[in-house]
Structure formats: C-alpha cells, structure tokens
Amino acid sequence: MSNAFFSVPVAQNEPVKSYAPKSKERESLLQVYKSMKNQDPIDIPMYIGGEEVRTATKKTISPPHNHKHIIGNYNVGELKHVELAIQKALSAREQWSQTPWQERAAIFLKAAELLAGPYRDKMNAATMLCQSKNVFQAEIDAACEMIDFFRFNVQYMTKIYKEQPESAPGIWNRLEYRPLEGFVFALTPFNFTSIAANLCAAPAMMGNVIVWKPSQTQVYSAKVIMDLFKEAGLPDGVINMVTVSGRVAGEAIFNHSDFAGLHFTGSTDVFRTLWKDMANNIEKYKSYPRVVGETGGKDFVVAHPSAIPSQVATALSRGSFEFQGQKCSAASRAYIPENIWPEVKKILKEQVGSFKMGSPEDTTNFINAVIDSKSFNNIKEYLDYCKSASDAEIIIGGNCNDEIGYFVEPTVVVTTNPSFKTMVEEIFGPVLTIYVYASTDFEKTLDLVDKTSQYALTGSILSQDRYAIQLATKKLENAAGNFYINDKPTGAVVGQQPFGGARGSGTNDKAGAPMNLSRWVSARTIKETFVTPQDYKYPFLG
Ligand code: NAD
C-alpha cells in the first residue's frame, strides 16, 4: 500500500561524453556500430499489444551515407494493423491509467538509467548508422536528450500533480489529473531519436496509451526505443508501434471515436493537413482532441555592426551545418552588416572549407549524408534554382553527389534580395542564405527578419552593443519561440531551454517542460463539503 508522498530524484542533465581519440567510449561505440552494420540483415516488426507483428510487405533499410548497403528491412503494415494497435491500446488503458504515478515514474527513470548505461551504444549506433549522425550529434540526441526527457519529465509530472486549489473553511477542494479519455497518436519525424521517444513517453508517463507511427527513415532507432521501453518494464499495449504510411495511419486514427490527442513533430504542411482531417471529423470524437504540433522553421541569425566576426562565422558554421542542416532549429537565413561582412565571409569560408564529409564511422567527418533520396532531390532543386538566379550567388559549396550516399556540400548563398526563395522557404538541408545589409539599417533589418517568413521557431542576435540586443529582443518578440543572444540558434537542452515555436512553427507547447505534460491530462475538480446544508433559505431571505 502506498501511504506516503514520495519525492523523485532531482533531475540533472546527462553529461555529454567526448568520444575523443583513444577514449574508451569511442572504441566501444564504434565496435557496436560496426557489428550493427555488418550483422545479418535484421527484420524489424511492428509492436502491437506486446506482439511482434510481421507482414509480407518488406521495405529495406540502408544507411543514408551508403545506400547500397542493406541493414535489414521493416514490415509495412495496413489499415487493419493500425486498428489493432488502437484496440490493444484501449485494452491496456484501464490498468495503465489506474497505475499509481510512482510506478509509472519508476519505469521511465529506469529507462533513463538503462540508456545512460547498457543501451547508450546501441541507441547512438543505430542513430549514426540509419540517420547518418556523427558521433557527437548522436550522443547529444539519442543518448543525452532522451535521458533528459525521461528524468526531467518525471520531475515535472510531480510538479503538475502537486498543483492544488485553495480550500475555504468547511470544504476541501482537490484537483485530479486524469489521463485523456481515449488514446494518443504520436507521429514522429526522422531527425531526432529523442523526439520520437519523447512524443510517446510524455503522454504515456501521464497515464495515456499510445499508437506510435515513426518516420520510415527512423525505424532502426525506433526499434531500439521499443526494446528499451520493454526492458524498463513498460506494460504491453501502452505504446504500440506501427510502421505504415502516414495516410493509412491517419485514416484509421482520425475516424476513431476514442482518438483523444495528437503529439506531432514534423513539417508544417503535414501538420496543417492533419489539423484539417481532425476538424473534418470532430463530431466523431468523444472529446476534443488535444493537438500538440512542433513543425518547421526558417531560423535566423542577425548580426549587429558591433558583432565580433569570428563569433558570427562560428554561429553560422555550427548553427547551419551540424547534422547537415536537418535540425528544425538550424540557421538557414542570416543578416550580416556590410562593415563586418568581408571578415565574416573569410572566416566562414575557412571554417566550412575545412569540414570533412563522409560516413559517421570515420569520426573525423563533421558532415554526413542527408536522410534519403527525396530529401537529396529536394535540396538539389533548391541549389539548381540558386545557380540560375540573377539575384543570388553561391559562395561556398553548391554541389551534391548521390552515387554512394546522399551527400550535399554545405552551401552558402548570398542574395541581394531579402525575399529570395531560400530566405523564405524551409529547405531542411545544409543551405544557408545570407543577406548583407547597410550597416546603418539595423532597425529596418529587424523588421525584415520579423516579416520574411511564416515561421517563428528559433533565431539569434549577435552584438556587443547592449542597446542593440535590447532592441532586437523587443522587435523580434514574436519571431522565435527560442531566442538566443550571442549564440547559435541550435542546441536547446531539456530543463534549460524549453523548446518550441509559434506562428507556422507549431503550437509552442515546449517539449520537455511542464507545459507539454499538462496537455496530456484532463483535470477533474473535486469539491467536498463537510457540513452539508439542510435548508435552502439563505440568511438574506429572513
Ligand atoms: P514530415 O512532416 O515529412 O514527417 C513527420 C511524420 O509525419 C512522419 O512520421 C511521416 O511519415 C508522417 N507523415 C507524412 N505525411 C503524412 C500524412 N499526409 N499523414 C500522416 N502522416 C504523415 O517531417 P520529417 O521530414 O520527418 O521531419 C522534418 C520536419 O520536421 C521539418 O519540417 C522540421 O522543421 C520539423 N521538425 C520540427 C521540430 C520542432 O520541434 N519544431 C523538431 C524536429 C523536426
């Protein structure tokens, strides 16, 4: 019997390992990477109600940096599999939703420790191999951020449960935080293994049951996530993973009366389509679904004339090109004043010119491949457009080659047109566009930054002048959900910089923060009166 108010361990960010040459962690990780690469082809099932489900339709999995090499395949499901996953989730709901919070917390705290220890190499290696992240990018995502999500969310969960109303004399008011009445659909992107896990784990931690559809290019690390949940003790049916097309998943889910919430991260157009589908079916649902969507970005860097050129260049080279620019937060447009531009350009050319590109297995490669042929072709189209434009010039990179892997050179475009296509549209690749402005036009440029794109995810100001920082912070108030001063606009850390954007970039519910978790509960207020009135007459009637 639980008869105490338990405290949970105080969450701390998982330290990032260095993987420096000759370090133990590097040897161990590369060994696991090689064995995963060279093992007999794996066959990744769907996980429905604790069963491994396979189908006759298989799709191959290959590393983006070596697309002829076959790692294995996953099983493509149909409508009936999504329906079965919904059914299994709903059957698991009764017991899971009644499971005391400390039992749920223990599962995710255990998952964090397993990932910090025995699962770390597997999760990182799967992410390096099939999402083409270098060792550092894999470590900060697949290991550290996922661990942080689990640990901090446990702490935030208890913070939410502790929030209680006042009680006047003679009554006792209480708030209960019920899981949503139905199931939650987690629909996840390819680019962050930790986001994929968190979109399932956050609602599950709050007592919900989940149908999860991972991106088809993240299935290998998705399998490792399911193994981790299982080993941590998550009961069967709480999280069900189906590998179907988005359209098939949507058809089953958005027509179901028990659909209670969408936890989405991905592109803006897809989110808008999903929102329309939900709206068109709204009468079918028992409750209004909770909708949380973190979507695209056209993230900016603005430099003030007082900014230090080497700092600006580094914010751009790291902020734009790490993980091949495939971070929702990656800097993809920059506004640099004329006075520092020659120096920024020189340093940026030197830095980007020294990047090595290739497989993550060679840890001297800073740049790896983009995720798949669709993405490669999309980026190539943008590069071709830039090459043929009269108001833009490619000053760094601009080439790509998909013979062995989907490799795109980190590319810097300079335009004289602040509304140039690549200043406005999300490309989701290693392409940065720069607009050089007259040094006297700082304030006008801030208006440009604010108005140029539909997105408002991340952005940064670099300046040595405090008044300029103050002005930019005010004028760009609604231009970014995560705003950085004298830093690159990427690399948000759970517990430190709650992450999410507004405008076209999403519902801004801040992943890895109490705000997000509170979306997955439906509060019930309970008022208890101790001495119940027995006569209707109030004193004023006397
Ligand atoms: P995507 O929108 O192509 O896919 C996301 C998920 O939706 C995948 O599982 C996909 O299979 C599914 N999907 C695609 N079309 C669908 C449809 N019509 N119906 C139902 N499901 C569908 O995104 P992606 O390429 O995997 O990820 C990149 C995008 O995600 C970028 O736009 C990036 O900015 C965004 N992103 C945002 C954040 C954030 O926190 N704001 C974080 C990571 C990625």
Side-chain angles (χ1 to χ4, degrees):
M1 187 180 48
S2 303
N3 59 3
F5 300 108
F6 307 107
S7 303
V8 292
V10 176
Q12 286 186 348
N13 290 115
E14 175 66 11
V16 178
K17 293 190 187 241
S18 79
Y19 298 92
K22 299 208 171 84
S23 63
K24 255 199 186 152
E25 69 254 20
R26 175 188 177 115
E27 258 172 47
S28 160
L29 174 55
L30 288 180
Q31 210 175 358
V32 173
Y33 177 98
K34 280 177 198 149
S35 72
M36 279 175 144
K37 186 180 96 179
N38 299 320
Q39 71 194 348
D40 292 339
I42 52 163
D43 181 42
I44 299 176
M46 292 183 276
Y47 297 87
I48 305 178
E51 299 289 319
E52 296 192 357
V53 178
R54 292 182 167 80
T55 65
T57 316
K58 315 274 182 190
K59 268 205 179 158
T60 53
I61 301 172
S62 297
H65 44 273
N66 184 5
H67 51 61
K68 290 190 186 81
H69 181 80
I70 292 181
I71 300 291
N73 57 256
Y74 67 91
N75 289 264
V76 183
E78 300 164 29
L79 193 69
K80 65 178 183 192
H81 297 108
V82 187
E83 286 166 348
L84 183 64
I86 296 172
Q87 193 190 318
K88 293 290 179 186
L90 292 172
S91 319
R93 186 181 178 277
E94 193 175 337
Q95 205 176 353
W96 182 244
S97 64
Q98 298 302 317
T99 299
W101 69 262
Q102 67 272 13
E103 308 294 339
R104 288 183 265 124
I107 291 168
F108 291 99
L109 290 173
K110 178 166 180 173
E113 293 318 300
L114 286 169
L115 184 53
Y119 271 79
R120 195 181 201 111
D121 285 347
K122 264 185 268 181
M123 197 70 82
N124 280 339
T127 302
M128 291 165 68
L129 190 58
C130 291
Q131 287 143 269
S132 208
K133 288 204 174 191
N134 69 31
V135 64
F136 179 70
Q137 293 301 317
E139 167 76 1
I140 58 173
D141 161 25
C144 299
E145 185 163 276
M146 199 189 302
I147 294 167
D148 290 350
F149 274 134
F150 297 157
R151 288 183 184 151
F152 279 87
N153 279 346
V154 163
Q155 198 175 297
Y156 298 146
M157 168 175 69
T158 59
K159 195 175 160 185
I160 290 173
Y161 291 155
K162 275 183 195 149
E163 247 170 62
Q164 293 296 322
E166 301 295 320
S167 294
I171 58 168
W172 185 12
N173 294 323
R174 309 193 285 273
L175 265 186
E176 261 182 7
Y177 295 89
R178 303 167 299 183
L180 305 183
E181 204 181 355
F183 68 93
V184 172
F185 179 29
L187 185 56
T188 62
F190 77 85
N191 66 334
F192 274 87
T193 305
S194 56
I195 291 179
N198 182 51
L199 265 51
C200 302
M205 194 182 283
M206 303 309 284
N208 294 284
V209 288
I210 319 293
V211 175
W212 172 30
K213 192 207 92 58
S215 162
Q216 61 170 6
T217 41
Q218 187 258 323
V219 173
Y220 197 1
S221 57
K223 177 219 176 322
V224 186
I225 291 171
M226 288 307 287
D227 292 345
L228 174 71
F229 286 152
K230 178 109 191 151
E231 191 161 342
L234 191 75
D236 291 342
V238 174
I239 295 175
N240 303 277
M241 181 182 115
V242 288
T243 40
V244 295
S245 76
R247 193 189 48 72
V248 167
E251 196 182 329
I253 285 164
F254 297 136
N255 279 303
H256 202 287
S257 59
D258 289 303
F259 167 61
L262 170 69
H263 205 187
F264 174 78
T265 297
S267 57
T268 299
D269 285 351
V270 170
F271 187 49
R272 288 182 176 147
T273 306
L274 304 175
W275 196 299
K276 285 180 201 154
D277 288 348
M278 289 180 280
N280 286 333
N281 288 307
I282 198 74
E283 287 90 358
K284 293 182 184 157
Y285 309 139
K286 286 185 187 149
S287 32
Y288 297 104
R290 295 285 167 91
V291 182
V292 173
E294 296 303 331
T295 67
K298 190 72 200 172
D299 310 299
F300 59 83
V301 168
V302 197
H304 181 256
S306 65
I308 296 169
S310 57
Q311 293 182 356
V312 175
T314 306
L316 293 176
S317 61
R318 282 185 170 174
S320 302
F321 300 123
E322 284 184 305
F323 188 37
Q324 298 75 260
Q326 300 170 116
K327 296 189 184 190
C328 49
S329 55
S332 59
R333 56 182 170 127
Y335 301 79
I336 314 293
E338 269 169 353
N339 67 316
I340 60 167
W341 172 236
E343 189 62 11
V344 171
K345 183 175 167 182
K346 182 175 148 270
I347 302 169
L348 189 59
K349 276 191 170 178
E350 279 162 16
Q351 290 192 353
V352 178
S354 71
F355 289 171
K356 276 183 67 189
M357 183 160 72
S359 162
E361 192 172 342
D362 175 351
T363 59
T364 62
N365 289 324
F366 189 67
I367 303 289
N368 312 113
V370 300
I371 193 71
D372 59 10
S373 60
K374 190 170 154 226
S375 169
F376 178 89
N377 291 331
N378 177 50
I379 300 166
K380 189 172 181 305
E381 266 180 38
Y382 276 101
L383 295 180
D384 292 342
Y385 179 87
C386 292
K387 284 173 190 166
S388 65
S390 57
D391 48 359
E393 184 198 358
I394 293 178
I395 61 158
I396 301 173
N399 300 308
C400 44
N401 187 320
D402 62 353
E403 250 169 75
I404 296 168
Y406 304 111
F407 290 108
V408 178
E409 282 179 359
T411 298
V412 178
V413 182
V414 177
T415 181
T416 50
N417 171 7
S419 304
F420 187 66
K421 192 177 169 72
T422 61
M423 288 297 279
V424 178
E425 295 175 14
E426 182 183 54
I427 303 172
F428 221 59
V431 183
L432 164 70
T433 308
I434 293 176
Y435 174 68
V436 180
Y437 69 90
S439 305
T440 47
D441 281 351
F442 178 64
E443 191 163 350
K444 257 201 234 159
T445 304
L446 296 178
D447 289 326
L448 258 183
V449 175
D450 189 43
K451 305 240 155 61
T452 297
S453 114
Q454 61 165 326
Y455 301 105
L457 190 52
T458 75
S460 51
I461 166 78
L462 287 105
S463 169
Q464 294 302 101
D465 175 336
R466 200 68 219 182
Y467 287 135
I469 292 172
Q470 198 185 327
L471 183 68
T473 308
K474 176 75 198 103
K475 289 207 107 171
L476 299 175
E477 187 179 8
N478 293 309
N482 283 60
F483 187 66
Y484 294 80
I485 297 169
N486 287 326
D487 205 342
K488 63 183 169 58
T490 59
V493 174
V494 176
Q496 298 192 38
Q497 298 98 21
F499 190 79
R503 293 187 182 162
S505 292
T507 55
N508 199 14
D509 289 290
K510 299 292 187 210
M515 272 176 267
N516 178 287
L517 291 187
S518 65
R519 300 300 312 275
W520 309 116
V521 289
S522 175
R524 176 166 79 146
T525 306
I526 299 173
K527 176 192 176 191
E528 181 169 353
T529 302
F530 294 127
V531 182
T532 310
Q534 299 187 48
D535 186 357
Y536 85 94
K537 289 193 203 91
Y538 291 108
F540 75 89
L541 293 170

